[in-house]
Amino acid sequence: MSELNVNVIDHPLIQHKLTIMRQKETSTKGFRELLREIAMLMTFEVTRGFPVKDIEIETPVAPCIGKQIDGKKLVVVPILRAGLGLLDGVLDLIPSAKVGHIGLYRDPETLKPVEYYCKMPRQLDQRTLLVVDPMLATGGSASAALTMLKEKGAKNLALMCLVAAPEGVKLVNEEHPDVPIFTAALDERLNDHGYIVPGLGDAGDRIFGTLD
Ligand code: PRP
Ligand code: URA
């Protein structure tokens, strides 16, 4: 496999929280809270390269030049359903961001993504879009979402996930070489059912408590 292009954000706090999330005994409440916290911590790193501009302000003591994030508001795009688990953590740090939703599920037989919903804000071509989904497994869902967004005019995209498999990173690298990938962990492989090993199981079911 050629070299993977992925940013692994492995701050000790993130590693610690992710380890708790991976454990099968972790409750839905705990899983959801930790996912939100990790999303917030990852957002800090994902936004590190954002452009800033100078603005004139006055402190109680003197006028000065401050910095402000430049450009139109960011769009956070959770891939339904599990992507919703990362949304609030991103919005905790970027409360004025816009939110676009993409509904995709992975057909359990073919493992191919099936689209069922898409609602985006306007002027996608002038905005940065941060696509969020906890699991990057085969990469089919993320790649399809990125293609859909590009067809709607998006030009500046990034992908944030929690756990990625090498197979998924490779597919997104090949199909969307312009899109940086940020993950908290790069795991070993996929199993025969397309689940990430060791992974954390089905993220959507663990976030929403829909496990049998
Ligand atoms: C999961 C996950 C990703 C997708 C990853 O969603 O949240 O969207 O699978 O797999 P892939 O990389 O092989 O496409 P799922 O289809 O289980 O839907 P859900 O979020 O509604 O639970
Ligand atoms: N989707 C999940 O929720 N988990 C996996 O391991 C793979 C796809």
Side-chain angles (χ1 to χ4, degrees):
M1 191 181 287
S2 61
E3 200 167 321
L4 299 173
N5 189 5
V6 59
N7 303 285
V8 181
I9 304 177
D10 56 358
H11 188 285
L13 282 173
I14 293 178
Q15 291 187 54
H16 182 96
K17 290 173 192 290
L18 176 58
T19 299
I20 301 171
M21 291 184 74
R22 287 187 192 271
Q23 292 169 43
K24 59 185 180 188
E25 301 81 15
T26 298
S27 67
T28 298
K29 174 176 179 289
F31 191 92
R32 210 184 271 153
E33 288 171 355
L34 289 160
L35 185 57
R36 179 179 181 146
E37 289 169 13
I38 292 179
M40 190 168 67
L41 294 168
M42 289 184 75
T43 300
F44 189 72
E45 277 304 318
V46 170
T47 54
R48 184 175 284 281
F50 275 25
V52 289
K53 65 178 180 188
D54 290 346
I55 60 162
E56 290 177 15
I57 59 164
E58 282 192 34
T59 76
V61 179
C64 76
I65 303 294
K67 301 281 183 196
Q68 191 175 58
I69 293 183
D70 200 8
K72 288 198 179 296
K73 289 190 171 67
L74 174 88
V75 185
V76 192
V77 183
I79 301 179
L80 306 180
R81 215 183 14 152
L84 290 173
L86 291 159
L87 177 62
D88 285 342
V90 179
L91 293 179
D92 284 341
L93 280 196
I94 315 177
S96 61
K98 293 183 179 283
V99 181
H101 293 85
I102 288 188
L104 284 177
Y105 70 87
R106 197 171 72 150
D107 183 291
E109 301 296 326
T110 64
L111 301 184
K112 297 289 176 210
V114 182
E115 178 192 339
Y116 60 90
Y117 187 73
C118 185
K119 181 78 179 174
M120 289 296 135
R122 289 166 194 251
Q123 299 174 307
L124 287 189
D125 57 324
Q126 297 166 44
R127 301 180 187 279
T128 297
L129 281 78
L130 179 61
V131 178
V132 298
D133 190 330
M135 309 308 277
L136 181 63
T138 65
S141 303
S143 189
L146 293 168
T147 301
M148 283 166 65
L149 293 169
K150 287 178 180 176
E151 284 170 359
K152 290 184 177 297
K155 293 183 168 60
N156 189 7
L157 292 139
L159 174 65
M160 180 169 117
C161 53
L162 181 72
V163 180
E167 294 88 335
V169 173
K170 182 169 183 281
L171 185 80
V172 174
N173 281 170
E174 283 170 0
E175 297 195 348
H176 300 284
D178 55 309
V179 178
I181 305 172
F182 298 87
T183 186
L186 182 61
D187 275 12
E188 284 164 28
R189 60 182 172 89
L190 296 179
N191 68 15
D192 293 344
H193 305 286
Y195 275 82
I196 300 176
V197 181
L200 45 72
D202 187 303
D205 283 343
R206 295 199 65 186
I207 294 165
F208 296 109
T210 49
L211 278 169
D212 293 334

